[in-house]
Amino acid sequence: MSMQQDTIYIVIATDNHYAILLAALLKSVEQNHTSGERIEFYIIDNGITSENIAKLKTILNPEAYGLHFCNMKSVLPKDMVLPVDGSALPFVAYMRMFAPYIIPPEAEKVLYLDVDMIVVTDISKLWHTDIGDYMVGCVQDHSQVVSCEWAGIRNYAQLGLSPDTKYFNSGLLHIKTKAWREANIPEQIIRCSEENKEYLSLADQYPLNVVFANKWFELDPRWNCKAILDIKDPYIMHFIDIKPIYKSYNGSKYYQDTFYKYLDMTPWANYSPVSNYIRLWRKVYYKLVKASSKMINKKRG
């Protein structure tokens, strides 16, 4: 198959709060994609308003890009209950594990991108990266190893892992879809989360690192550069902490300016950073949703 005929599949998960981030991410992929493949975006959507969906649909040239919205409830298997961790990360963060299930079944691979990313090179370079016999390719996290005190896998020793086992950031995944589905990775992730409930951290980044310990392909670190670290020459900028839409943003100014460069090419042009109170309110909201879900799960149990 020639490069021109290949189709790149990208999955992103978000709720309405971060529709604005999705806008800038979509535009950044389009602006830097020069190698001619069609790109199909599949958005796992947890409540994006119809007004925002309409705006998002105006961003890409439909002749070269597809934009599909998949309601989170329809993606989540009926009998599956998402784990509840103590973080303020939204439930939709867990949905990356379903990326191989919502794209056409004949697609051999898929890229999962966190919504708080900006792509500044041609995404086809990542798409055409050979990850060998591995099921998943990722970038090592800046916490580096499972024994890191502020991230990592706190019970790594009980799980039989060496303290220097490399630990990856789950914001970017290059997945071989058939192998992922055959291994039923979502079931493995949920089971791992249940068995290690008290150690869960950073949503599904913990179980993903347990399930794939020593079994992931290490991608070029430039594919997942944290804004707080201000890494030079990034391929993908990742706003893991305070997003660039808030006045309290504390990452690289260059990364923030790049975000607004792409945002200004969308219906959200001329947006100004908003108060930190809005950010804190969202965190409280996500925690309340998780707390109520915990109660419902207990009643079911």
Side-chain angles (χ1 to χ4, degrees), residues 1 54 76 80 87 94 132 165 197 201 216 247 256 263 288:
M1 186 181 277
L76 190 65
M80 192 171 272
S87 78
Y94 280 96
T165 303
K197 246 186 272 205
S201 64
W216 54 280
K247 285 178 181 167
Q256 186 181 37
L263 190 68
L288 287 171

Side-chain angles (χ1 to χ4, degrees), residues 33-241:
H33 179 48
T34 55
S35 56
E37 305 93 333
R38 182 172 178 81
I39 298 183
E40 296 287 347
F41 289 99
Y42 285 79
I43 311 303
I44 300 177
D45 150 28
N46 188 20
I48 305 178
T49 63
S50 52
E51 182 194 5
N52 279 341
I53 285 177
K55 281 188 192 174
L56 290 162
K57 284 183 172 172
T58 67
I59 290 171
L60 303 167
N61 170 8
E63 285 175 22
Y65 298 86
L67 186 58
H68 315 271
F69 290 86
C70 312
N71 184 282
M72 176 173 143
K73 287 187 177 71
S74 67
V75 174
L76 190 65
K78 293 270 181 287
D79 54 347
M80 192 171 272
V81 177
L82 291 176
V84 182
D85 64 13
S87 78
L89 290 164
F91 267 132
V92 75
Y94 280 96
M95 299 307 289
R96 78 192 86 218
M97 61 177 143
F98 299 107
Y101 298 84
I102 62 168
I103 59 171
E106 66 275 11
E108 290 172 13
K109 53 189 174 179
V110 64
L111 301 178
Y112 172 83
L113 303 181
D114 267 356
V115 73
D116 56 351
M117 288 180 153
I118 289 289
V119 178
V120 289
T121 191
D122 195 332
I123 198 72
S124 72
K125 294 178 198 164
L126 176 60
W127 180 255
H128 293 294
T129 299
D130 182 3
I131 64 168
D133 294 329
Y134 292 93
M135 195 189 300
V136 67
C138 332
V139 169
Q140 186 175 12
D141 192 68
H142 68 299
S143 56
Q144 296 195 323
V145 290
V146 296
S147 54
C148 170
E149 284 177 14
W150 49 269
I153 296 170
R154 281 184 296 148
N155 60 331
Y156 70 87
Q158 288 139 274
L159 295 168
L161 298 174
S162 145
D164 59 359
T165 303
K166 286 184 175 181
Y167 178 84
F168 62 83
N169 180 275
S170 62
L172 174 84
L173 302 173
H174 182 305
I175 298 171
K176 285 187 186 161
T177 50
K178 191 163 172 272
W180 186 279
R181 292 192 297 256
E182 282 172 359
N184 201 344
I185 296 300
E187 198 177 273
Q188 290 192 45
I189 288 170
I190 298 292
R191 190 167 62 239
C192 172
S193 303
E194 282 303 311
E195 289 169 358
N196 301 280
K197 246 186 272 205
E198 63 272 40
Y199 302 107
L200 267 192
S201 64
L202 302 172
D204 57 345
Q205 189 161 288
Y206 171 95
L208 276 163
N209 269 279
V210 174
V211 169
F212 287 106
N214 300 309
K215 292 187 290 193
W216 54 280
F217 179 87
E218 194 171 342
L219 293 166
D220 185 320
R222 286 175 292 182
W223 285 114
N224 193 346
C225 295
K226 315 280 179 60
I228 48 172
L229 303 177
D230 197 11
I231 297 156
K232 302 291 173 262
D233 189 30
Y235 293 162
I236 290 181
M237 301 174 168
H238 191 182
F239 299 92
I240 59 161
D241 189 22

